[in-house]
Amino acid sequence: MTAPYPHPAHLQRLAQECAHLAHRTSQIAAELAAMQVAPVPAPVPAPPPAPIPPPHPYPATPPRRSWLSRAADDGRLVGAVLAVAGVAVTVVGVGLLLVLAAQAGLLRPEMRVAAGAVFAASLIGLATRSHARGSGVGAVALAATGIATAYLDVVAVTRLYHWVPVVVGLVLAAGLAGGGVAWARRWRSERLALVSVTPLIAVAPLVAGGIDLGLVGFMLVIAVACVVVAHRTPWSALPVVGVSAVSLWVTAVVVAARVAAAEVDGVLLALGCAATAAIGLAAGLSSVTRRVSATAAALASVVGCVPALVCGVALDRGVAASVLAAVATANAALVVWSAPSIVRATWACLAAVATVVAIPSAFGATVAVPALLAIAAVVTVVGRGDRLIAAVGAGLAVVGGLGYLGWSVPVESLLTPIARTDGQTASAVVASLLLVGAAAALGVVHRTQAGAVIAAGAVALYGLTATVVTVGVAVGGTGAGFLAGHMAATVLWVLAASAVLAVAARMPVGAARRAPIAAALTLAGAAVVKLVTFDLATLDGAFRVGAFVAAGIALLAVGAHHARARSTTSV
């Protein structure tokens, strides 16, 4: 039986589908051929980067012009120089006129003073008129000359002719100086204030007839006027000049009292030194609060404190120590003030220097050395968070240490027994313990610096050795006591090494342990060296045996304990 014949409609549909597939295949072939012959599109080039403009050239620094070249182009510079010279020459001439006229008897004193007053008033009137017309340098020069002349007139009637008491002269001088500087402030001219004050530093002693406390009083008035008037101005030079004026002549009086044996009231001179220091510190503090010049503040403070620092050459020890103590206290109090670093450093140094000078002035070496070391330890501990105060503490410790080596416990006293009095022994023991405390404080403050820690440890070890040797000599004499002290010192070195090892054992394993381990081993080695060199040659009998046995047992105990601790840690 054959299969049925397909239906015609079904065959027609299959024929149509084959024709459609053939047509579609021919279209695909044509598209592929067209794609093979078509050119590949070129990539679009990236835009070129924008050109970087060349850096803007800095203007060339003009060559530095000479003073003569600038003076030729600017007439004000020449005028200022000539005006200053004119002020100085005129003031000196007026001073010479007053002195020479009195020596030659040319005019009566009343005529000389009146002529000076008329001359001063005329200059001041001309200065006012010149300033009203817009003149700057000329008005300042005329005003400065008039003020200086009037001040010399006041000095003449007070010191040269003695017409008025010193108190009245001081009041007149205060009014004149304050008025002159206030006038300068009204004109906003620091130059007027400077040229009004500066010539008086040299001319006033000439008219006053010498350098004494009366002259110092006049200069104190000038300094106060300069500092007070400049307080609310941007002026920085005027307070320094005012403080320098009084400091110069107070120092001259101190030197004259020492070198020429001039008779000077010690109390008044001490008050003058203290007042000068107070004015200098006030000027420095004023400059800091006004934020005008840190250099001027530091300079005023230093210049003002100079007479107080040298007053001990002319004053009694107690009076000088009181002045120095006041200056040290004032500077130390100012260190906590918020000031530029240069000013704080200046105040700190002044406080340290005044302290170093004051303590030996007030006490002998028996008390001075322990006192310096105690202050060094206290300052170091209190200022451990402040690098500046810590540095001051280190400086005081160095000075106290030098005094300790020079007087309290010299190196030779540890090599050869020295008999001391009870007071000297107590001072040496106290100083040794304070030296240990100061060294320990410095070591803690600088614990991150290996060199500082090692140096502090060596100093502390010296202090401990000196303590036990001094106590041994005091108790047992220069024979057995000296030997017993050195035996105890050797054992103490070993115990100190043990303490360092104990501290190291509590530290984490690593690089942190290396420094204390090295220090402990060095200290133990030093103890052994001391045993086989000094102790073996110096000690005798039971002391030699005791030193070796005690040190040996201590070393064995420490070694065994440290080995056990290390093995436990490693397990």
Side-chain angles (χ1 to χ4, degrees):
M1 182 176 180
T2 60
Y5 188 81
H7 194 276
H10 181 67
L11 292 175
Q12 185 179 1
R13 186 173 64 252
L14 291 175
Q16 290 177 352
E17 291 179 358
C18 290
H20 178 72
L21 290 174
H23 178 71
R24 181 58 184 161
T25 302
S26 63
Q27 286 182 346
I28 293 174
E31 290 178 1
L32 288 175
M35 292 177 63
Q36 291 177 354
V37 299
V40 179
V44 180
I52 300 176
H56 183 70
Y58 290 100
T61 303
R64 186 175 180 84
R65 302 173 61 193
S66 64
W67 181 87
L68 184 60
S69 176
R70 290 185 286 116
D73 296 339
D74 189 358
R76 293 176 300 175
L77 183 58
V78 177
V81 172
L82 294 179
V84 171
V87 172
V89 172
T90 303
V91 173
V92 173
V94 172
L96 293 175
L97 175 63
L98 291 173
V99 174
L100 295 179
Q103 292 177 350
L106 298 178
L107 297 173
R108 292 177 57 83
E110 296 83 357
M111 297 296 294
R112 300 169 198 152
V113 174
V118 171
F119 185 54
S122 301
L123 289 173
I124 292 174
L126 290 174
T128 304
R129 183 178 179 182
S130 179
H131 185 267
R133 293 182 176 181
S135 175
V137 175
V140 169
L142 289 171
T145 309
I147 293 172
T149 303
Y151 188 84
L152 293 178
D153 233 18
V154 173
V155 175
V157 299
T158 306
R159 301 293 301 164
L160 190 61
Y161 303 123
H162 303 286
W163 289 348
V164 297
V166 174
V167 176
V168 177
L170 289 175
V171 172
L172 294 176
L176 185 60
V181 181
W183 192 10
R185 181 178 176 181
R186 180 180 179 183
W187 283 6
R188 298 180 180 178
S189 173
E190 188 179 12
R191 290 182 299 177
L192 173 58
L194 291 175
V195 296
S196 300
V197 174
T198 304
L200 300 177
I201 300 176
V203 178
L206 179 66
V207 179
I211 302 172
D212 55 10
L213 292 176
L215 175 65
V216 170
F218 281 112
M219 289 303 174
L220 282 172
V221 173
I222 294 295
V224 171
C226 293
V227 174
V228 171
V229 175
H231 179 60
R232 297 186 179 277
T233 67
W235 299 347
S236 60
L238 180 62
V240 177
V241 172
V243 174
S244 300
V246 63
S247 178
L248 173 65
W249 297 121
V250 174
T251 305
V253 172
V254 172
V255 174
R258 174 67 177 181
V259 176
E263 294 184 1
V264 179
D265 190 328
V267 176
L268 292 180
L269 181 57
L271 291 176
C273 294
T276 305
I279 295 172
L281 294 177
L285 187 59
S286 173
S287 297
V288 170
T289 55
R290 290 182 289 131
R291 299 180 179 179
V292 291
S293 173
T295 304
L299 187 59
S301 300
V302 172
V303 172
C305 291
V306 167
L309 295 178
V310 301
C311 69
V313 301
L315 298 177
D316 294 337
R317 295 177 60 178
V319 177
S322 301
V323 174
L324 289 165
V327 171
T329 304
N331 279 280
L334 289 176
V335 172
V336 301
W337 196 272
S338 178
S341 58
I342 182 176
V343 183
R344 290 187 69 242
T346 301
W347 289 337
C349 292
L350 288 173
V353 172
T355 301
V356 171
V357 178
I359 291 178
S361 299
F363 312 102
T366 305
V367 179
V369 173
L372 283 175
L373 292 173
I375 294 175
V378 171
V379 171
T380 303
V381 172
V382 172
R384 59 186 179 275
D386 192 307
R387 296 177 60 185
L388 176 61
I389 300 178
V392 172
L396 291 173
V398 170
V399 176
L402 294 176
Y404 175 85
L405 291 176
W407 188 89
S408 296
V409 185
V411 177
E412 56 267 21
S413 67
L414 298 181
L415 303 177
T416 304
I418 298 176
R420 293 185 175 92
T421 63
D422 293 341
Q424 292 173 342
T425 299
S427 174
V429 172
V430 172
S432 299
L433 295 176
L434 289 173
L435 181 67
V436 174
L442 289 173
V444 172
V445 171
H446 302 285
R447 57 185 176 274
T448 58
Q449 304 174 11
V453 173
I454 293 174
V459 172
L461 189 63
Y462 184 92
L464 290 174
T465 304
T467 301
V468 294
V469 172
T470 303
V471 172
V473 172
V475 174
T478 57
F482 179 76
L483 301 178
H486 269 289
M487 182 187 70
T490 303
V491 177
L492 189 62
W493 288 24
V494 177
L495 294 178
S498 305
V500 176
L501 283 175
V503 173
R506 298 181 180 179
M507 300 176 66
V509 178
R513 272 190 176 180
R514 295 173 185 172
I517 292 295
L521 293 177
T522 302
L523 186 54
V528 174
V529 171
K530 182 176 183 294
L531 273 172
V532 300
T533 56
F534 183 83
D535 292 352
L536 188 62
T538 305
L539 304 184
D540 57 1
F543 297 108
R544 181 187 301 169
V545 174
F548 273 82
V549 171
I553 292 175
L555 288 173
L556 287 173
V558 172
H561 175 75
H562 189 67
R564 184 171 61 255
R566 293 290 296 164
S567 62
T568 303
T569 304
S570 60
V571 172

